[in-house]
Amino acid sequence: MLNFEELTRDELSELAPRALVVVPVGSIEQHGPHLPVGVDCVIVSELARRAAAEAGRTMPVLVTPTLPFGFAQHHVPFGGTVSINVATYQEVLTDIGKSLVASGFRRLFFLNGHGGNDPSVQAVGDRLVFELGLDVHVAAASYWTCAADILAGLDLGIGPVPGHAGAFETSCMLAIAPDQVRTEVLPIADGILQPLAATAMGEAVVRRPGVWSASDGRTDDASGASAALGEKALTAIAERVARFVIDFHQST
């Protein structure tokens, strides 16, 4: 695994024809009173790094810096959030892809760590390959979708995955950056799903007015979070993402 930003233009040009580039995308948004606003960036960056390191044993894998901003308009009322509107965000992702293609790269994987980004991330391949007609293979997925089969059998017992500012994300942060978790202001444990999670319907993407504010910006109780659970989840997800990276590279 190589960090894109640490290489020279000549080194990148030499790698471009045979390498796969992972582009992690996150968000800067509120995560309750106990987690920093950069949670989505921290988690997706860690997963990209681990997956690329594993896949990089058999093939050249580059990881770009994580795009920190995404579509997070639903978090704006809580404060501490930076959001890009959908149309602009799609243009940003497309421009990143176009730049990488112009540098000679032909295998791109956009790895998403924030739910609000998902539709735009899914669309970037269509824009690059079909609308612009570029000679490039593009994959795009949110990490929880890429690893859905693994997560389904993991039985973490900590509520929705990934949820928002709940037990899953808190566990991951305790494993990655425990000093950034404000355990002293963890919301009072109630064991009840917030309206945001309680009204979710997995069969479709559903948007409901007022549900975020009714949920206090969280999906579930984080009191059951632990570093051990976070590490278990991160390890399993990263291994599954690494497998996809290898399979995608081989398919091209």
Side-chain angles (χ1 to χ4, degrees), residues 94 123-139:
T94 302
V124 67
D126 286 335
R127 300 197 70 188
L128 292 169
V129 176
F130 300 123
E131 289 187 5
L132 298 177
L134 300 180
D135 179 19
V136 58
H137 297 262
V138 183

Side-chain angles (χ1 to χ4, degrees), residues 65 137 177 184 216 225 229 249:
H137 297 262
E184 71 279 5
D216 189 28
L229 285 171
H249 187 276

